[in-house]
Amino acid sequence: MDQKKSLKKRRLGVVLNYIGLILLMITYEYAETTAWDTLLVSLEIIAILIILISFSFTYWKTSLWQFIHKPFKELDERELQLTGNSLRYAYAIFTTIALTIFLLYSLFERNFNIVLTVSLIYFAHILPASILAWIEKEV
């Protein structure tokens, strides 16, 4: 893995990625309840660009994405411990957030949409790598 990115830069990348993801979901939800206009379409495009650029620099170029998705048989003991802990934390965080979203959608009698579904799938995949990017000095 590329360890040249400082902890501060990785954290900034993680934050930007999540800001883009949240902006994407909120803008889509708002646009679906009101009406799509040029501003909302522009916000969606900006959110997608933020996600793509921050993913590229934070997860892809540092190889965190490849590391967290590597088969267990290819990992040594230290790497197994790192991935195991990050997956355990990610599972706890993801289930809490996903169930809260499901509860809120149910309370407000809203239907799930494709953007929410894809965003949650993406979130589930980047969360373990985000945890590693956030806490590990050297990954």
Side-chain angles (χ1 to χ4, degrees), residues 62-77:
T62 61
S63 298
L64 280 167
W65 178 265
Q66 295 86 339
F67 177 72
I68 208 68
H69 288 87
K70 192 184 287 188
F72 285 135
K73 63 184 176 187
E74 295 179 18
L75 301 173
D76 63 26
E77 285 183 39

Side-chain angles (χ1 to χ4, degrees), residues 16-36:
L16 286 174
N17 196 266
Y18 287 125
I19 287 172
L21 190 59
I22 291 167
L23 179 63
L24 179 77
M25 291 187 300
I26 290 174
T27 303
Y28 186 85
E29 286 295 327
Y30 180 75
E32 286 294 306
T33 58
T34 59
W36 286 95

Side-chain angles (χ1 to χ4, degrees), residues 30-104:
Y30 180 75
E32 286 294 306
T33 58
T34 59
W36 286 95
D37 61 12
T38 308
L39 175 65
L40 294 175
V41 171
S42 299
L43 280 175
E44 285 289 280
I45 292 170
I46 290 169
I48 291 169
L49 288 174
I50 291 170
I51 293 168
L52 291 173
I53 292 168
S54 61
F55 176 85
S56 174
F57 286 105
T58 306
Y59 302 106
W60 195 261
K61 287 191 176 183
T62 61
S63 298
L64 280 167
W65 178 265
Q66 295 86 339
F67 177 72
I68 208 68
H69 288 87
K70 192 184 287 188
F72 285 135
K73 63 184 176 187
E74 295 179 18
L75 301 173
D76 63 26
E77 285 183 39
R78 178 185 162 278
E79 293 172 336
L80 278 171
Q81 187 175 9
L82 281 174
T83 56
N85 285 336
S86 69
L87 288 169
R88 185 168 45 93
Y89 293 134
Y91 175 77
I93 293 167
F94 178 78
T95 53
T96 303
I97 290 173
L99 291 174
T100 302
I101 289 171
F102 297 157
L103 176 66
L104 291 172

Side-chain angles (χ1 to χ4, degrees), residues 6 15 20-21 23 27 42 46 87 89 101 108-111 113 120 135 138:
S6 70
V15 169
L21 190 59
L23 179 63
T27 303
S42 299
I46 290 169
L87 288 169
Y89 293 134
I101 289 171
F108 292 106
E109 297 179 355
R110 303 267 313 155
N111 291 325
N113 57 60
L120 285 174
I135 63 174
E138 292 183 11

